[in-house]
Amino acid sequence: MKKLIIAIWAVILAFTLCACSFAPGLTEETAKKEKKESAQSAADSCRDFGWTLENGVLTITGEGAMLPDECTWDPNEVSSAVVGEGITKISEKAFFDHSTLKEISMPSTLTEIGDEAFAYCVSLKEVTIPDGVKVIPEEAFRNCNSLENVTFPSALETVSFKAFYKCFKLQYVIFSEELKLVEESAFEDCRAFTGIDLPESLEKIGKKAFCNCFELASVNAGKNVSMIGMDAFKFTADGITMYAPEGSVAYAYGEKNGMSVSATK
């Protein structure tokens, strides 16, 4: 019994010594990782960020990504905004509920827009999104009730969940030839739409993507659409026509859901 106890203590001692010998290495590795992550975070954040607000014009300057806690201006005083060259990201909710914002100018350096960045900007009428942006994020322009015209970037690949939800006055958009995905409810309740030309690159249309577009009378879809979600075109104009290649998913969807269908090449 005594020998067994001694053997157990020997094992415990050996394990402890082993752990101690590796601990400094593990601590050093962790420190290096944390330092790298901290440096990356600093690199991603906006350097020399600043803004001025004069006579309703908000001018934002800096380099890199805007941070949410830097957006400290009074939203009720902003009628137009100029985001300066060098800014790469407009932060989440940067202009959320800026009800008096009518105009926004974005820089060519912009590559990312945060979720809900312009949600509830009820006076915003026109938007041009720079070519570096590939994704319109979730709820980016939801409830922009006065928005009539959007110019999409040439490399746009995704329009995300409720990106343009309840943009009642948005009548027509020209999609990028790189577009692959229109997510759920992306254009739900865009009640002024009358026709949509979807690019050949488009692969998936989420459920309710164009639901409640009451004036939508025609949809032109390509052969590469592989999935159309439930109610994607529900509550659109009576007699809505789906133009699509015969035998395609879009053509079959139109037939199944009571739409008029017309074969294209």
Side-chain angles (χ1 to χ4, degrees), residues 172 193-198 210 213 215-221 233 236-243 259-260:
Y172 185 75
F193 271 156
T194 57
I196 298 170
D197 292 318
L198 300 171
F210 297 95
C213 296
E215 302 299 319
L216 183 60
S218 67
V219 178
N220 195 332
F233 298 97
T236 49
D238 291 339
I240 182 174
T241 301
M242 173 68 78
Y243 296 90
M259 304 168 73
S260 297

Side-chain angles (χ1 to χ4, degrees), residues 185-229:
S185 300
F187 294 95
E188 183 177 355
D189 263 321
C190 289
R191 302 179 182 182
F193 271 156
T194 57
I196 298 170
D197 292 318
L198 300 171
E200 284 292 329
S201 58
L202 187 65
E203 297 172 359
K204 295 182 180 180
I205 302 171
K207 65 182 182 180
K208 294 187 176 181
F210 297 95
C211 181
N212 292 336
C213 296
F214 301 123
E215 302 299 319
L216 183 60
S218 67
V219 178
N220 195 332
K223 62 182 179 181
N224 293 317
V225 175
S226 60
M227 189 278 287
I228 301 178

Side-chain angles (χ1 to χ4, degrees), residues 62-224:
E63 294 181 353
M66 291 170 56
L67 300 177
D69 59 2
E70 294 173 327
C71 306
T72 55
W73 52 81
D74 183 349
N76 298 313
E77 297 295 325
V78 180
S79 59
S80 66
V82 178
V83 182
E85 291 293 324
I87 300 292
T88 58
K89 178 183 178 181
I90 295 176
S91 67
E92 294 78 3
K93 294 189 174 182
F95 297 95
F96 184 90
D97 198 22
H98 282 43
S99 60
T100 58
L101 179 66
K102 296 179 180 179
E103 299 175 311
I104 178 72
S105 174
M106 304 184 204
S108 62
T109 52
L110 195 71
T111 58
E112 188 176 355
I113 298 173
D115 293 350
E116 300 181 273
F118 298 95
Y120 297 93
C121 290
V122 295
S123 299
L124 189 63
K125 293 185 177 182
E126 185 173 355
V127 171
T128 297
I129 302 171
D131 284 340
V133 177
K134 293 185 177 182
V135 177
I136 309 299
E138 294 188 4
E139 303 185 62
F141 296 93
R142 72 164 293 168
N143 289 83
C144 289
N145 301 338
S146 300
L147 189 62
E148 297 178 358
N149 185 33
V150 176
T151 301
F152 284 127
S154 59
L156 181 66
E157 295 179 357
T158 301
V159 182
S160 302
F161 174 74
K162 290 190 174 181
F164 294 93
Y165 178 71
K166 288 186 179 295
C167 291
F168 296 142
K169 294 187 178 182
L170 189 60
Q171 296 182 357
Y172 185 75
V173 292
I174 299 176
F175 291 108
S176 143
E177 291 300 323
E178 302 295 324
L179 186 68
K180 292 178 174 59
L181 174 61
V182 176
E183 291 189 357
E184 177 182 348
S185 300
F187 294 95
E188 183 177 355
D189 263 321
C190 289
R191 302 179 182 182
F193 271 156
T194 57
I196 298 170
D197 292 318
L198 300 171
E200 284 292 329
S201 58
L202 187 65
E203 297 172 359
K204 295 182 180 180
I205 302 171
K207 65 182 182 180
K208 294 187 176 181
F210 297 95
C211 181
N212 292 336
C213 296
F214 301 123
E215 302 299 319
L216 183 60
S218 67
V219 178
N220 195 332
K223 62 182 179 181
N224 293 317

